[in-house]
Amino acid sequence: MVLLEAAAVLLAVSSVSAWPTTSPYTNVKTRAEQIEAEYDYVIIGGGTSGLTVGDRLSENGKYSVLAIEYGYFDTQTGMNPKRMFNITSKPQPGLNDRTFPVGIGCVVGGSSCVNGQVFLRGTKEEYNAWETLGGGNSTWNWEGLLPYFKKGITLSPPEPVQAKNYNITYDMAYWGTTSKIFGTFGTNYLQPYIKVLYNAMKNMPGIAVPVDSGAGEPGLYWYPISQDPIKYERSYARSGHWDDLNRGNYEMLVGAKVTNILFDGTTATGVTFTSRNSSDTPPAQVKARRQVILAAGAVHTPQILMRSGIGPSPLLKDADIPVLVDLPGVGSNFQDHSYIRNIAYSWGTTPTDSDLDLELFNKPRDIIAARAPGGGAPSLAAMIGLPVVTPDKYEALAQAYESQDPAAYLPSNYEETQIEGYKQQQKVWAKLMRSTNPVFLEIMLHGPGGAIQNLHCMSRGTILMDPKDPDGEMQVDYRAASNPVDVDVMVEMIKFMRRYMTTGDLAQYEAKESLPGSNIITDSELAAWAKEQIIPSVYHPIGTAAKMPREWGGVVDEDLQVYGTTNLTIIDASIMPTIVGATTSMTVYAVAEKAADIIKARTGWD
Ligand SMILES: Cc1cc2nc3c(=O)[nH]c(=O)nc-3n(C[C@H](O)[C@H](O)[C@H](O)COP(=O)(O)OP(=O)(O)OC[C@H]3O[C@@H](n4cnc5c(N)ncnc54)[C@H](O)[C@@H]3O)c2cc1C
Ligand SMILES: *[C@@H]1O[C@H](CO)[C@@H](O)[C@H](O)[C@H]1NC(C)=O
Ligand SMILES: *[C@@H]1O[C@H](CO)[C@@H](O)[C@H](O)[C@H]1NC(C)=O
Ligand SMILES: *[C@@H]1O[C@H](CO)[C@@H](O)[C@H](O)[C@H]1NC(C)=O
Ligand SMILES: *[C@@H]1O[C@H](CO)[C@@H](O)[C@H](O)[C@H]1NC(C)=O
Ligand SMILES: *[C@@H]1O[C@H](CO)[C@@H](O)[C@H](O)[C@H]1NC(C)=O
């Protein structure tokens, strides 16, 4: 019914006579009648991945590109309700029925405009898992992605004086120099005891110190934030891939919500959209000569697919949407990172850095503080594999996980192909639980104590449309802790933090634990406490249109084309088959850079 409605009231889209070229804002459109009837490439979502690919496809000036974005241009950045969708998760039975805010950006630049700017990439074996889960001959592995990390990100080296004093090492072999997306070392939150924390972590059994945060290795390192090194402002998809381009062949329509993709048979030919701020404006459409590119993020990409008849057929039938392609994996395989906000300690004796040169310490900090009033972020992290988190228990945890019936903890509506896909993931991840390379535990060091993050949950959630309200907000269900192994792993992470704070180098400072507290001792006490504390999202949703074989419940193939269709490519965070042990934006940039090359090759772009 909804599809017919949209088709019936199509607005005739009038052409403008020439491409606008003068002001940076003439290629920003706010109304349907201001855009062309047809473009070579139409991109759904002007966010992190969408603007990256838009830049690449328009760069030779030969092809017209339109990005359609639900949000607007904003003069400010950072987390704020006016730049974010207002979504609350379903209650989480595994976490005592708590609900959680689902933060994602809705603004030009997408989530890169509101995110925390922590700029990390995953490890080698985490990307190699994407290759294994590709079913054969996949180029989605560490080697295949490294050139795109380099193309996607320019590293600004640290201040030499700080680099020397804090051992901030780096290797340009892992970074590029041409992208206008920058990683910059921000170090203005350093405490006088940061070196004590650094050395204590370095001396924990099994902790390595790789030369660079981008080396694909776990361990202890300083990492950059996504920040412009000169202006000392947020570096994000809009600043790096839109603001200075002003290309006559690259337009953006803002304040427009794409409802569905138009098809001729199973070939994508355009999209239908409505105005965000005017309910009495009829839906309009725009055609794509070469390719429709879906970049609405892991929450809304599944909605647009389902609204277009691509998804799990029982749900589509409930919603009265004719099935174009029955793809049960759309909206499933949902993953995020999870964390406990504070394993809380206070120092008995506050440590100080014995060779701290206060003048040296303060000076560079002041320089940076002057450039970024109140800005910056802590930038020292310990990224730790499971055998190092829990040398005694990792083998038992891996065995328990690999002996699970793959269907045991999956949503009841999973079909056979999806269960097979999870079985393949289980095989890969049972192996990776025994490897030190993939990062399970992340701790940002600015102690005492602090947050612990579990970066590889084995539970799988869903992001599905409400069949009674297909255009309403998506129903986000983390299904957190539905697989009990996630709580068992979190318990070991709490114990790691306890060992770090109270044994080894830090023992002498006699830190006192207030959370969970000395009365919470046994594994089952810790597990019960963890279920009260775990937050199932670090705002890193992925996986809801996974790149896996169709017979494993995948949604896109190795070239990111939606199964059963032509001329439709997905390029955003939803294509990751399993999450990486790192904040997700840098990986989204690399995936988008690779996707741009794939689309160029496929569509004869030159
Ligand atoms: C609060 C927060 C903090 C984060 N912190 C970090 C961090 O510190 N470090 C890090 O690396 N990563 C972080 N992330 C994650 C990272 O930013 C995302 O993984 C990444 O930006 C996702 O890129 P994307 O292209 O998949 O989606 P997005 O960048 O979200 O882009 C999707 C775009 O599509 C638009 N859209 C959606 N539906 C429609 C529609 N129907 N029609 C038209 N447009 C539509 C949206 O408005 C949005 O602009 C954070 C994210 C958030 C939200
Ligand atoms: C929506 O709002 C924008 C900015 O406020 C405005 O420019 C545009 O004309 C509005 N669109 C409609 C269809 O009212
Ligand atoms: C978010 O939505 C809820 C109801 O769904 C509403 O009560 C609340 O005011 C909204 N918040 C914002 C900031 O719009
Ligand atoms: C991998 O490539 C080889 C050589 O092109 C081909 O024979 C084989 O079928 C491919 N395997 C898969 C699983 O696609
Ligand atoms: C400095 O970092 C290197 C890695 O680049 C590491 O090998 C070395 O041990 C570190 N030195 C100190 C003093 O911590
Ligand atoms: C799909 O895109 C290609 C170019 O990439 C184009 O030649 C072809 O006509 C498109 N298919 C249809 C059916 O529109």
Side-chain angles (χ1 to χ4, degrees):
M1 185 209 110
V2 267
L3 280 182
L4 293 178
E5 196 176 83
V9 262
L10 280 179
L11 181 78
V13 179
S14 65
S15 292
V16 284
S17 53
W19 291 108
T21 49
T22 47
S23 133
Y25 288 100
T26 53
N27 52 4
V28 174
K29 309 297 178 185
T30 55
R31 304 181 67 88
E33 58 271 25
Q34 296 169 337
I35 63 166
E36 298 277 356
E38 197 167 284
Y39 294 78
D40 289 311
Y41 301 96
V42 171
I43 301 172
I44 306 168
T48 316
S49 54
L51 293 184
T52 304
V53 167
D55 181 359
R56 297 306 176 201
L57 292 178
S58 61
E59 68 192 348
N60 70 0
K62 288 194 199 170
Y63 304 100
S64 58
V65 179
L66 175 72
I68 305 180
E69 167 55 41
Y70 182 72
Y72 298 102
F73 281 84
D74 200 314
T75 50
Q76 287 172 320
T77 69
M79 262 183 102
N80 184 299
K82 78 172 178 152
R83 290 185 286 274
M84 296 172 78
F85 288 98
N86 179 13
I87 310 174
T88 301
S89 80
K90 302 197 110 178
Q92 299 296 292
L95 301 178
N96 307 339
D97 278 334
R98 288 178 292 143
T99 60
F100 300 89
V102 181
I104 37 170
C106 68
V107 59
V108 173
S111 295
S112 71
C113 177
V114 299
N115 75 17
Q117 296 179 262
V118 172
F119 221 23
L120 289 164
R121 72 186 68 162
T123 65
K124 290 173 184 168
E125 291 178 11
E126 292 166 339
Y127 298 107
N128 292 345
W130 294 6
E131 175 185 8
T132 312
L133 292 169
N137 295 340
S138 175
T139 57
W140 292 92
N141 53 24
W142 170 256
E143 287 299 321
L145 277 161
L146 185 57
Y148 294 107
F149 280 113
K150 298 177 72 165
K151 182 169 188 188
I153 319 292
T154 293
L155 184 75
S156 167
E159 303 273 343
V161 64
Q162 280 185 338
K164 188 161 171 289
N165 200 24
Y166 296 102
N167 199 32
I168 305 174
T169 62
Y170 63 101
D171 181 346
M172 287 308 285
Y174 300 108
W175 303 92
T177 54
T178 55
S179 175
K180 284 187 284 175
I181 299 291
F182 296 98
T184 298
F185 291 92
T187 50
N188 54 327
Y189 276 26
L190 296 176
Q191 298 89 337
Y193 55 74
I194 193 83
K195 283 190 191 174
V196 176
L197 296 180
Y198 180 106
N199 287 325
M201 184 58 78
K202 185 179 157 183
N203 292 334
M204 290 290 285
I207 298 288
V209 185
V211 69
D212 193 299
S213 67
E217 298 293 340
L220 172 68
Y221 38 69
W222 303 93
Y223 61 84
I225 56 173
S226 44
Q227 186 90 339
D228 181 295
I230 307 298
K231 292 185 269 185
Y232 224 74
E233 292 166 358
R234 174 185 297 263
S235 178
Y236 67 116
R238 177 187 154 186
S239 64
H241 291 297
W242 176 269
D243 277 350
D244 297 328
L245 301 184
N246 192 27
R247 292 181 186 143
N249 61 328
Y250 183 15
E251 300 188 336
M252 190 179 340
L253 176 66
V254 297
K257 178 180 176 178
V258 171
T259 53
N260 58 281
I261 298 157
L262 297 164
F263 285 94
D264 178 0
T266 53
T267 299
T269 58
V271 307
T272 301
F273 60 90
T274 59
S275 168
R276 175 177 171 183
N277 59 349
S278 173
S279 53
D280 56 7
T281 309
Q285 62 171 224
V286 59
K287 293 285 193 171
R289 271 184 293 266
R290 304 180 133 240
Q291 199 82 192
V292 174
I293 296 165
L294 192 39
V299 175
H300 294 107
T301 279
Q303 178 170 37
I304 295 164
L305 288 170
M306 291 181 206
R307 253 316 245 102
S308 312
I310 302 170
S313 58
L315 180 62
L316 299 184
K317 283 174 187 151
D318 272 1
D320 251 337
I321 297 173
V323 178
L324 184 71
V325 187
D326 180 17
L327 273 187
V330 174
S332 292
N333 190 49
F334 169 39
Q335 299 156 60
D336 200 327
H337 298 137
S338 83
Y339 75 112
I340 290 178
R341 196 170 274 140
N342 200 3
I343 306 300
Y345 284 87
S346 53
W347 296 117
T349 317
T350 305
T352 46
D353 170 7
S354 57
D355 66 348
L356 180 73
D357 177 339
L358 259 185
E359 206 192 334
L360 189 63
F361 178 79
N362 283 323
K363 205 164 147 200
R365 182 176 57 171
D366 286 350
I367 292 168
I368 288 176
R371 294 192 307 203
S379 53
L380 178 61
M383 312 292 286
I384 309 172
L386 200 59
V388 177
V389 172
T390 176
D392 299 339
K393 288 268 178 70
Y394 77 92
E395 180 55 37
L397 287 167
Q399 275 175 25
Y401 179 58
E402 85 190 331
S403 61
Q404 288 177 355
D405 169 358
Y409 304 111
L410 293 174
S412 54
N413 65 336
Y414 259 45
E415 300 199 346
E416 235 168 88
T417 55
Q418 295 173 277
I419 294 169
E420 182 59 31
Y422 187 76
K423 191 175 159 190
Q424 299 295 332
Q425 295 190 3
Q426 188 185 12
K427 221 158 67 182
V428 172
W429 282 95
K431 206 165 132 200
L432 293 186
M433 287 169 85
R434 298 173 164 107
S435 167
T436 55
N437 181 270
V439 174
F440 274 71
L441 170 61
E442 172 176 346
I443 303 174
M444 290 179 178
L445 292 182
H446 44 91
I452 50 172
Q453 294 186 37
N454 176 4
L455 303 189
H456 288 296
C457 293
M458 302 305 159
S459 300
R460 293 292 179 266
T462 56
I463 301 184
L464 298 173
M465 76 168 28
D466 176 356
K468 291 186 281 305
D469 185 14
D471 289 322
E473 210 27 283
M474 294 293 272
Q475 301 184 323
V476 178
D477 187 355
Y478 295 101
R479 298 184 75 260
S482 55
N483 192 318
V485 74
D486 295 340
V487 177
D488 297 342
V489 164
M490 198 57 110
V491 164
E492 297 308 311
M493 291 177 172
I494 299 171
K495 292 197 251 176
F496 179 92
M497 180 65 100
R498 284 182 162 173
R499 289 203 306 281
Y500 172 59
M501 286 306 300
T502 60
T503 68
D505 285 19
L506 296 185
Q508 60 186 298
Y509 304 107
E510 299 180 314
K512 295 273 169 305
E513 181 184 302
S514 54
L515 283 173
S518 55
N519 56 328
I520 301 201
I521 300 158
T522 65
D523 283 2
S524 64
E525 287 166 351
L526 285 166
W529 183 80
K531 282 168 163 254
E532 285 291 343
Q533 299 294 321
I534 289 172
I535 296 169
S537 172
V538 189
Y539 308 118
H540 301 154
I542 66 112
T544 50
K547 179 200 72 61
M548 288 196 297
R550 191 171 180 179
E551 59 275 18
W552 293 355
V555 174
V556 296
D557 66 15
E558 290 292 300
D559 286 339
L560 308 184
Q561 304 182 95
V562 176
Y563 288 117
T565 71
T566 53
N567 294 15
L568 176 60
T569 310
I570 304 181
I571 59 167
D572 60 33
S574 51
I575 69 99
M576 301 184 199
T578 53
I579 202 162
V580 293
T583 52
T584 40
S585 71
M586 198 190 293
T587 298
V588 168
Y589 285 119
V591 165
E593 294 284 7
K594 183 167 160 74
D597 273 3
I598 290 171
I599 294 167
K600 283 177 174 180
R602 188 196 310 141
T603 59
W605 187 103
D606 54 32

